[in-house]
Amino acid sequence: MKPQHRPTAVIVLAVINFVLAGLVLLFGVCGTLLSILVFPRLMASFMPPGQGPNPFTMMSEMMESIPGYNAFMLGKTGLNAVTSTLLLVAGFGLLKVRRWSRTLCLVYAVVTIVQTLAATVYEIAVLNPAVSRAVVEYTEKVNQMNKAPGQPPVNLGFTETLYNTVGPISAVLWAVVLLVYPITLLIVLTRRPIVAAFARGEVLEALPAEPDERETGITGRPRP
């Protein structure tokens, strides 16, 4: 069977798979570290001098009070690990135009679309309002424990506004960004030429060079 060139679109998708999977794994780790180490210290920076509620304790209580938060984070982290693995494995298969790699990419696309839509709804309806309430409660505790003459109260009203207004907008915009690649996969991998290439299940390599007429003495022209 005569080999053929790899479709350029498939090569591009393979490269994007490798890059995106690496970024998801990297930012997944960074996001976990930020939520554990940076956020509590950020809350502590708003505290006036004196004794106040422990930001680590406050964050732990906040997480426990949010309905379904632990399940949401565990599910999100687990799915991100699974989908990133799918992307990596599928990337190698795409370079060889294997049928199973196309299937993995389609599975990734569908799972990611469903996950992104569900996570966006949860963040807007549950997570952002709960975090906003927790910040307000934290501020009230700080003000009550630091009633000193001439000491102005801490005002984090802007944070509540941020979570209630900008939060939903940013969640929707981020969802749009996350949906770009899985939708692109669905469009590209269901195009007729791409489907045909994967259906053949060939290892597509570069076309062999034609023999030089001067070396073989054969012109390739038909005899009269």
Side-chain angles (χ1 to χ4, degrees):
M1 182 178 293
K2 188 177 181 179
Q4 304 177 26
H5 284 294
R6 292 184 180 92
T8 302
V10 174
I11 299 176
V12 172
L13 291 180
V15 173
I16 295 177
N17 274 21
F18 295 137
V19 174
L20 187 59
L23 290 176
V24 170
L25 292 174
L26 175 63
F27 283 104
V29 173
C30 292
T32 301
L33 294 177
L34 285 174
S35 63
I36 295 175
L37 301 177
V38 177
F39 180 75
R41 286 172 172 77
L42 180 63
M43 295 300 300
S45 67
F46 288 102
M47 295 173 56
Q51 187 178 6
N54 189 316
F56 289 94
T57 303
M58 174 263 180
M59 184 175 180
S60 177
E61 293 175 351
M62 180 191 70
M63 291 179 178
E64 293 177 357
S65 66
I66 300 176
Y69 179 80
N70 291 333
F72 170 75
M73 291 303 297
L74 288 175
K76 183 178 179 180
T77 302
L79 279 176
N80 285 342
V82 171
T83 54
S84 298
T85 303
L86 287 179
L87 281 182
L88 285 174
V89 175
F92 292 105
L94 288 176
L95 293 177
K96 295 296 183 180
V97 195
R98 300 300 190 188
R99 299 180 187 180
W100 54 263
S101 65
R102 176 176 175 270
T103 301
L104 287 183
C105 286
L106 294 178
V107 170
Y108 161 82
V110 173
V111 171
T112 301
I113 290 173
V114 173
Q115 175 194 3
T116 302
L117 294 177
T120 302
V121 171
Y122 177 81
E123 290 176 8
I124 294 175
V126 179
L127 186 58
N128 283 341
V131 174
S132 176
R133 290 192 299 270
V135 170
V136 172
E137 293 175 0
Y138 177 82
T139 306
E140 292 176 351
K141 291 181 180 179
V142 171
N143 290 330
Q144 291 174 1
M145 300 180 69
N146 292 276
K147 291 182 179 180
Q151 178 67 54
V154 177
N155 184 7
L156 291 182
F158 74 93
T159 305
E160 184 178 10
T161 302
L162 182 67
Y163 275 101
N164 292 333
T165 57
V166 181
I169 296 175
S170 62
V172 172
L173 293 178
W174 182 239
V176 172
V177 173
L178 294 178
L179 290 174
V180 169
Y181 189 56
I183 292 176
T184 301
L185 282 176
L186 290 178
I187 294 174
V188 174
L189 294 179
T190 54
R191 292 177 57 200
R192 186 172 300 176
I194 301 298
V195 174
F198 281 98
R200 289 191 295 268
E202 301 169 359
V203 179
L204 304 180
E205 302 293 347
L207 286 170
E210 296 293 336
D212 194 324
E213 295 179 0
R214 291 172 296 180
E215 296 178 358
T216 61
I218 303 175
T219 63
R221 290 188 292 271
R223 297 179 180 180

